[in-house]
């Protein structure tokens, strides 16, 4: 009996040791994976951020230091000459104003019109509703370059070259925005809309007082994406504007590159100025942006 008792005790101790080792291994693996994932993410962040930091700091370097070897991230000697020459030689303030007008007004129109159209497609029945929806989906499949010639002809017919309406209206509404807002509006119960109609609300009142408050996350996502797209747009302003006073910031920066003279200090200063508003917009509205994306994912 003593031998059997000893054998059982040894087997039990061995089982407990194996169990403890397994638990310890399981506990170590999540820690190792956590460390590895965070190291990889940190490397990715550095790869993304370092070029921007080099651009930002180089805006305050002299041309000799920019082209100097070895490359330095932190300026040896800070200089504001590039920024001063940029504002003295070019209408940078006008470029920034043009870009702000195009981005803000275009975003407002895109959000309002896409929400109205999404409300109509989601909660109303009308003739040719399904064909129009499929037609909009088909336009997403077309490359934007295919539409440049028709849009150019329309702008020439309307005489909208070098005008704000020429810069804003062709980019004010997109099929993506309408479909996005339609999907958000579909989640609103029809009973809420019917209750508003019983209370005597008009369709516009229902949209403004019932639909808009409930689809704010979608409006935030669409607004931020539209603002970023309009602020960073280069190709369409290049086609529609020829007057330097109507240039947007990206187009104005590209005009700093001459055939024989590359003023990289001023070029990097302009790029820094153009990037700051976008960063500030994302910082202030990142909660709404993440909330909108998360709500869409949970649906």
């Amino acid at each position: 009996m003593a031998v059997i008792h000893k054998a059982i005790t040894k087997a039990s101790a061995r089982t407990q040791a194996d169990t403890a080792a397994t638990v310890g291994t399981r506990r170590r693996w999540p820690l190792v994976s956590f460390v590895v994932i965070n190291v990889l993410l940190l490397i990715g962040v550095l790869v993304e951020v370092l070029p921007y930091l080099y651009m930002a700091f180089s805006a305050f370097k002299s041309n000799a230091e920019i082209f100097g070897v070895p490359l330095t991230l932190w300026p040896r000697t800070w200089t504001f000459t590039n920024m001063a020459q940029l504002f003295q030689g070019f209408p940078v303030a006008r470029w920034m104003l043009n870009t702000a007008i195009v981005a803000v007004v275009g975003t407002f129109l895109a959000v309002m019109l896409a929400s109205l159209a999404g409300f109509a497609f989601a909660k109303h029945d009308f003739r040719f509703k399904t064909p129009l929806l499929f037609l909009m989906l088909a336009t997403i499949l077309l490359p934007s370059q295919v539409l440049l010639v028709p849009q150019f002809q329309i702008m020439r017919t309307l005489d909208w070259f070098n005008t704000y309406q020429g810069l804003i209206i062709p980019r004010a509404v997109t099929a993506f925005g309408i479909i996005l807002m339609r999907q958000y509006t579909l989640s609103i119960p029809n009973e809420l809309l019917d209750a508003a109609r019983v209370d005597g609300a008009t369709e516009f009142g229902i949209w403004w007082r019932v639909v808009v408050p409930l689809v704010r996350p979608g409006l935030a996502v669409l607004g931020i994406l539209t603002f970023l797209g309009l602020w960073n747009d280069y190709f369409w302003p290049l086609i529609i504007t020829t007057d330097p006073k109507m240039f947007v910031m990206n187009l104005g920066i590209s005009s700093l590159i001459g055939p024989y003279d590359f003023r990289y200090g001023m070029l990097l200063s302009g790029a820094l100025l153009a990037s700051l508003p976008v960063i500030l917009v994302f910082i202030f509205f990142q909660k709404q942006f993440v909330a909108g994306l998360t709500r869409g994912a949970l649906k």
Side-chain angles (χ1 to χ4, degrees):
M1 292 297 294
V3 175
I4 295 174
H5 180 70
K6 289 182 180 179
I8 294 174
T9 303
K10 289 182 180 180
S12 177
R14 189 177 303 168
T15 303
Q16 291 178 359
D18 293 340
T19 303
T22 304
V23 172
T25 304
R26 290 179 179 177
R27 289 178 179 176
R28 286 196 298 270
W29 272 113
L31 179 62
V32 172
S33 62
F34 175 79
V35 173
V36 171
I37 291 173
N38 280 273
V39 169
L40 293 176
L41 290 175
L42 181 61
I43 293 174
V45 170
L46 291 176
V47 170
E48 292 290 334
V49 171
L50 280 178
Y52 179 81
L53 292 178
Y54 180 78
M55 180 271 294
F57 289 131
S58 296
F60 302 99
K61 298 177 182 178
S62 62
N63 283 333
E65 187 176 352
I66 292 175
F67 292 102
V69 178
L71 296 176
T72 58
L73 180 64
W74 193 264
R76 298 190 186 96
T77 303
W78 289 79
T79 177
F80 293 90
T81 305
N82 298 325
M83 200 73 69
Q85 291 178 350
L86 180 64
F87 278 92
Q88 291 173 2
F90 301 91
V92 179
R94 179 62 185 268
W95 296 345
M96 292 287 289
L97 177 63
N98 293 339
T99 310
I101 292 174
V102 171
V104 172
V105 177
T107 300
F108 176 77
L109 290 176
V111 170
M112 299 297 288
L113 296 178
S115 180
L116 281 168
F119 173 56
F121 276 106
K123 297 301 181 180
H124 289 80
D125 292 325
F126 51 90
R127 293 186 62 185
F128 308 114
K129 173 183 174 179
T130 302
L132 285 175
L133 185 60
F134 281 107
L135 184 62
M136 280 198 306
L137 288 171
T139 59
I140 299 179
L141 304 177
L142 292 175
S144 60
Q145 293 80 3
V146 175
L147 305 176
L148 286 177
V149 174
Q151 288 178 341
F152 180 85
Q153 296 291 346
I154 293 173
M155 295 300 105
R156 188 177 65 175
T157 302
L158 298 175
D159 195 19
W160 279 4
F161 287 101
N162 295 312
T163 60
Y164 287 118
Q165 59 265 31
L167 288 167
I168 296 172
I169 292 179
R171 296 292 188 268
V173 183
T174 61
F176 168 78
I178 295 175
I179 294 172
L180 176 68
M181 296 314 304
R182 173 184 177 271
Q183 295 306 115
Y184 272 93
T185 309
L186 283 173
S187 63
I188 299 176
N190 293 328
E191 290 76 11
L192 290 177
L193 308 183
D194 294 336
R197 292 188 180 98
V198 170
D199 290 338
T202 62
E203 293 302 313
F204 183 84
I206 293 173
W207 168 77
W208 179 251
R209 296 184 179 183
V210 178
V211 175
V212 171
L214 294 176
V215 297
R216 282 182 180 175
L219 295 176
V221 172
L222 180 60
I224 293 175
L225 293 178
T226 304
F227 182 87
L228 295 179
L230 292 174
W231 187 276
N232 294 323
D233 195 11
Y234 170 78
F235 196 54
W236 180 248
L238 177 65
I239 294 174
I240 204 66
T241 57
T242 56
D243 186 0
K245 293 182 179 180
M246 288 302 300
F247 283 178
V248 296
M249 196 61 188
N250 289 338
L251 192 57
I253 292 173
S254 68
S255 67
L256 301 178
I257 303 176
Y260 307 106
D261 184 17
F262 292 91
R263 293 168 282 191
Y264 281 104
M266 288 195 298
L267 187 66
L268 295 176
S269 298
L272 177 61
L273 291 175
S275 64
L276 290 178
V278 176
I279 296 175
L280 293 176
V281 167
F282 184 78
I283 290 175
F284 284 115
F285 295 100
Q286 61 178 333
K287 291 184 179 179
Q288 291 82 355
F289 184 73
V290 174
L293 292 178
T294 306
R295 182 178 177 184
L298 293 177
K299 289 179 185 179

